[in-house]
């Protein structure tokens, strides 16, 4: 059984290594869709896992980034944000959609212990990435 859950957050970022347009400070409404696989259905309730229980585990991870700037820890802009005492989220990678998808997937998997099997990370209405790790044989 696969359960799909949708989340979103608002954040600004820049990626200095991804061209002029992406290298400027700008923001997005990020849509995050997670897919969880379960092997059981409770005979009494007919439920695999309550949607609200998934939300309780996953939403704090997603909302951690809400209304913050996301900056690569080596970005010079971190110094400006620090000097101005402006809160932001420092990340160990360039803040591309691809990197964010992999990072969120791994955070959700490790921190919630849920069997997440796929994540979609949508940066604009017309562009999203999908991350599905390769299964080991």
């Amino acid at each position: 059984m696969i359960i799909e859950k949708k989340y979103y957050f608002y954040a600004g970022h820049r990626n200095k290594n991804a061209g002029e347009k992406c290298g400027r400070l700008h923001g997005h409404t990020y849509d995050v869709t997670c897919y969880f696989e379960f092997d059981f259905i409770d005979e009494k309730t007919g439920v695999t896992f309550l949607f609200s229980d998934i939300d309780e585990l996953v939403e704090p991870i997603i909302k951690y980034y809400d209304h913050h700037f996301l900056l690569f820890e080596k970005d010079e802009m971190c110094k400006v944000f620090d000097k101005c005492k402006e809160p932001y989220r420092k990340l160990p990678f360039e803040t591309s959609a691809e990197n964010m998808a992999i990072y969120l997937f791994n955070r959700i998997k490790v921190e919630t212990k849920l069997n997440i099997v796929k994540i979609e990370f949508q940066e604009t209405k017309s562009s999203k990435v999908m991350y599905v790790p390769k299964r080991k044989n």
Side-chain angles (χ1 to χ4, degrees), residues 81-118:
F81 277 68
D82 289 339
K83 183 175 182 176
C84 296
K85 296 180 176 44
E86 182 67 33
Y88 66 101
R89 301 299 185 213
K90 192 183 296 188
L91 296 163
F93 51 80
E94 285 288 3
T95 57
S96 66
E98 294 85 348
N99 285 340
M100 287 298 298
I102 294 166
Y103 188 70
L104 287 173
F105 181 97
N106 289 324
R107 278 201 65 193
I108 291 166
K109 187 163 197 72
V110 169
E111 294 175 32
T112 69
K113 307 295 189 242
L114 292 172
N115 187 26
I116 185 171
V117 294
K118 176 181 172 182

Side-chain angles (χ1 to χ4, degrees), residues 42-92:
D42 184 279
E43 290 182 24
K44 184 178 175 187
T45 65
V47 173
T48 54
F49 209 92
L50 289 174
F51 298 152
S52 60
D53 288 346
I54 295 172
D55 289 342
E56 195 173 296
L57 295 168
V58 175
E59 274 187 340
I61 294 169
I62 302 297
K63 293 301 182 183
Y64 174 76
Y65 304 99
D66 193 38
H67 284 85
H68 283 84
F69 266 93
L70 313 177
L71 293 172
F72 178 34
E73 64 191 4
K74 295 180 181 174
D75 189 321
E76 291 294 316
M77 190 60 67
C78 291
K79 294 175 186 174
V80 174
F81 277 68
D82 289 339
K83 183 175 182 176
C84 296
K85 296 180 176 44
E86 182 67 33
Y88 66 101
R89 301 299 185 213
K90 192 183 296 188
L91 296 163

